């Protein structure tokens, strides 16, 4: 570009007001502030365009945008991309003024979006449903407790012991009732997880239990820290009904 043209653009630039400096916005950012900032940037683009002696369509050809798009940007309806502002700044000889203003606007938009996301997070925390209270792993039975079906998702030592105590059986008697060894039952009650065939045997034992035993089973699950005195003792044959093996099909 000729020296005379450069000097002419410098004189025109001196006639334009300096770009406002927005280092930050005190308090929260509002949509109205974003609208004013876009319009302000659009007005400065129009001033630089007029100062360069260009029409909207002529500027559009220089930056590969349509005249309508340029008109929308100057009206503050579209702040477009940083690439546009870089090209427009270069084409109009704004010496980085328009690009700096667009960067400030984009920072304002990012701050507004972050502020809105924080507000949404706070609202979600206020309306979040508190965690449900602890409930027994046994599904609720319809109607009076003990009359509906009782289901265990996974048998652990806690449920095994509760069932044994509900049936009023010692470890040996309960093991015989299931068709297992006493060592196996004792292992379950000491945190060993029954295998799948053994889980099925326990399911069947629970299904075959009478109403009173199922009721006791629920009560024992709800009060695991209150074991029955003598529950681990080996009762005499006179005090204990003869167990009936129910899981011969589960033996390997």
């Amino acid at each position: 570009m000729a020296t005379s043209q450069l000097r002419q653009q410098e004189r025109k630039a001196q006639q334009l007001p300096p770009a406002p400096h927005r280092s930050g916005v005190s308090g929260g950012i509002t949509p109205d502030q974003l609208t004013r900032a876009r319009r302000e940037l659009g007005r400065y683009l129009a001033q630089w365009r007029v100062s360069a002696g260009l029409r909207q369509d002529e500027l559009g050809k220089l930056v590969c945008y349509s005249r309508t798009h340029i008109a929308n940007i100057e009206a503050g309806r579209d702040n477009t991309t940083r690439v546009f502002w870089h090209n427009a700044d270069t084409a109009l000889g704004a010496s980085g003024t328009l690009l700096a203003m667009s960067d400030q606007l984009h920072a304002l938009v990012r701050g507004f979006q972050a502020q809105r996301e924080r507000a949404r997070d706070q609202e979600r925390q206020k309306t979040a449903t508190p965690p449900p209270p602890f409930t027994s792993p046994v599904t609720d039975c319809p109607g009076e407790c003990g009359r509906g079906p009782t289901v265990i998702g996974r048998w652990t030592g806690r449920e095994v012991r509760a069932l044994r105590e509900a049936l009023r059986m010692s470890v040996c008697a309960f093991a015989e009732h299931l068709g297992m060894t006493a060592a196996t039952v004792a292992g379950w009650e000491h945190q060993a997880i029954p295998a799948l065939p053994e889980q099925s045997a326990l399911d069947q034992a629970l299904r075959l239990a009478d109403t009173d035993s199922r009721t006791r089973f629920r009560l024992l699950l709800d009060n695991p820290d209150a074991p029955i005195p003598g529950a681990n003792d080996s009762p005499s044959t006179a005090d204990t009904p003869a167990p009936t093996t129910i899981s011969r099909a589960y033996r390997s």
Side-chain angles (χ1 to χ4, degrees), residues 30-244:
T30 65
D32 185 59
Q33 288 173 328
L34 293 180
T35 300
R36 290 199 303 267
R38 286 194 179 96
R39 289 175 180 172
E40 183 181 31
L41 181 56
R43 284 195 298 269
Y44 271 86
L45 174 63
Q47 290 178 16
W48 279 100
R49 177 181 58 77
V50 172
S51 177
L54 297 175
R55 299 190 306 271
Q56 290 178 342
D57 60 320
E58 293 174 333
L59 175 60
K61 291 178 181 178
L62 292 176
V63 296
C64 299
Y65 273 67
S66 67
R67 186 203 66 79
T68 302
H69 203 159
I70 298 296
N72 287 334
I73 295 172
E74 291 184 354
R77 291 190 291 269
D78 187 355
N79 64 310
T80 193
T81 65
R82 193 177 192 274
V83 174
F84 166 84
W85 290 107
H86 177 271
N87 294 338
D89 190 283
T90 302
L92 298 175
S95 303
T97 300
L98 290 173
L99 184 59
M101 290 183 65
S102 71
D103 287 343
Q104 292 177 14
L105 175 59
H106 290 153
L108 198 66
V109 171
R110 289 193 298 271
F112 175 75
Q113 292 172 345
Q115 170 187 292
R116 185 169 55 181
E117 188 61 29
R118 286 193 300 270
R120 288 175 178 173
D121 289 341
Q122 292 175 357
E123 188 63 26
R124 283 194 291 266
Q125 291 176 0
K126 290 180 181 178
T127 59
T129 304
F134 172 79
T135 57
S136 169
V138 182
T139 58
D140 292 335
C141 59
E144 185 179 350
C145 184
R147 293 192 177 181
T150 304
V151 178
I152 293 293
R154 177 184 296 162
W155 289 89
T156 65
R158 178 167 172 250
E159 289 81 32
V160 171
R161 178 166 181 172
L163 178 58
R164 179 175 64 79
E165 293 183 355
L167 294 173
R168 299 292 192 256
M169 291 183 180
S170 66
V171 172
C172 293
F174 187 60
E176 186 177 353
H177 180 63
L178 295 175
M180 307 289 175
T181 65
T184 299
V185 173
W188 294 342
E189 295 190 7
H190 289 83
Q191 306 306 316
I193 302 298
L196 289 179
E198 298 166 342
Q199 297 263 344
S200 298
L202 291 165
D203 290 339
Q204 187 176 5
L206 181 57
R207 279 197 304 271
L208 296 178
D210 59 22
T211 300
D212 291 341
S213 296
R214 289 199 302 269
T215 302
R216 284 194 297 269
F217 177 63
R218 289 178 176 276
L219 294 175
L220 289 167
L221 279 181
D222 292 336
N223 299 276
D225 297 328
I228 300 174
N232 292 317
D233 297 339
S234 298
S236 63
T237 56
D239 297 332
T240 306
T244 302

